[in-house]
Amino acid sequence: MPLHLSPSFRERLAAADRSLIGMWTCSGSPLVTEVAAGSGLDWLLIDMEHSANSLESVLVQLQVVAAYPIAPVVRVPSNDAVAIKQVLDLGAQDIIVPMVSSVEEARAAVAATRYPPRGVRGVGSALARSARWNRVDDYLQDSASHTSLTVQIETTAGVEAAAAIAAVDGVDAVFVGPSDLSASMGLLGQQTHPDVVAAVHRVFAAVAGTGTPVGVNAFDPAAADAYIAAGADFVAVGADVALLARASEALAARFIPASDDTTRASY
């Protein structure tokens, strides 16, 4: 019986009449990811670059998220054709490639998502969840319509090349990462510094001129609101591990006297 895949992130962005709001899942826990999947948010970013997520944990998270209407987007660890192939074969329809700073790097990411002759993706659909083990009709011919590629701009070089990167055929969206961008600008840890914010806005303007959707990472609510007002098509506004860290700290602050540090371990 032929199976049908969910709409891609590209299709969801095209159909949206507001900014799509999402969060990161970095814990590697399918239970935590399932809790987040039922939150009412629009999309989840399952991260493999700065977390303990492995191919196995990503697979299970994709499986549990499939029961919910949220869009799972997997950030691969690097712009590597093998890593991209493996994540796509797990059944990830939507991926983010980090640290794309040039047209050449964007083209390489596109090629990794496409089968020959349009790209270099290895053919293993009969063995893979991506095609539901050849139960999706014409998957090899239509795979590009089932997947989306978001590239992440995180350097000053990427800012300068933003319009050209966004115009690469096969790039479906651009996601700005202020954390690494601030480091690239010599402002490490200052994601809301006026110069960093100005650089993000430059990317917004450059990408908007190509008609490609543009998003940003913004855990600070005021920054997120400002970026939404500035036209961000999608925003990541939190992360599972960060939410747990801040909420547990708030519990400690609420119930443990400030003078009592006996429970505070040295680390």
Side-chain angles (χ1 to χ4, degrees), residues 55-196:
L55 291 172
E56 291 79 6
S57 69
V58 169
L59 171 60
V60 178
Q61 288 171 82
L62 290 172
Q63 290 170 328
V64 300
V65 170
Y68 299 87
I70 200 165
V73 183
V74 180
R75 184 167 72 171
V76 296
S78 65
N79 191 357
D80 175 81
V82 173
I84 291 170
K85 170 183 64 179
Q86 290 179 307
V87 170
L88 289 175
D89 281 352
L90 291 180
Q93 291 180 244
D94 309 295
I95 65 168
I96 292 181
V97 174
M99 289 291 181
V100 173
S101 299
S102 69
V103 167
E104 293 73 22
E105 291 171 355
R107 287 175 177 161
V110 172
T113 69
R114 302 290 197 268
Y115 290 120
R118 297 181 61 194
V120 298
R121 180 181 173 186
V123 180
S125 58
L127 311 174
R129 183 174 178 268
S130 57
R132 301 304 187 266
W133 305 276
N134 278 352
R135 291 170 180 160
V136 176
D137 282 348
D138 299 320
Y139 179 82
L140 290 177
Q141 291 73 30
D142 299 337
S143 61
S145 69
H146 297 307
T147 60
S148 76
L149 170 66
T150 298
V151 298
Q152 193 163 8
I153 288 180
E154 307 179 79
T155 64
T156 54
V159 172
E160 296 303 319
I165 289 170
V168 170
D169 184 27
V171 169
D172 296 303
V174 170
F175 186 52
V176 189
S179 293
D180 276 304
L181 179 56
S182 67
S184 177
M185 297 174 66
L187 297 166
L188 181 64
Q190 301 180 62
Q191 294 94 317
T192 57
H193 188 284
D195 291 348
V196 177

Side-chain angles (χ1 to χ4, degrees), residues 169-261:
D169 184 27
V171 169
D172 296 303
V174 170
F175 186 52
V176 189
S179 293
D180 276 304
L181 179 56
S182 67
S184 177
M185 297 174 66
L187 297 166
L188 181 64
Q190 301 180 62
Q191 294 94 317
T192 57
H193 188 284
D195 291 348
V196 177
V197 173
V200 174
H201 285 166
R202 286 180 59 197
V203 176
F204 279 18
V207 175
T210 70
T212 301
V214 62
V216 66
N217 194 52
F219 289 6
D220 179 279
D225 286 338
Y227 285 135
I228 292 169
D233 296 293
F234 58 108
V235 184
V237 297
D240 56 354
V241 290
L243 291 169
L244 179 59
R246 301 294 85 78
S248 58
E249 290 161 5
L251 288 174
R254 167 64 176 80
F255 291 103
I256 299 175
S259 59
D260 182 3
D261 61 0

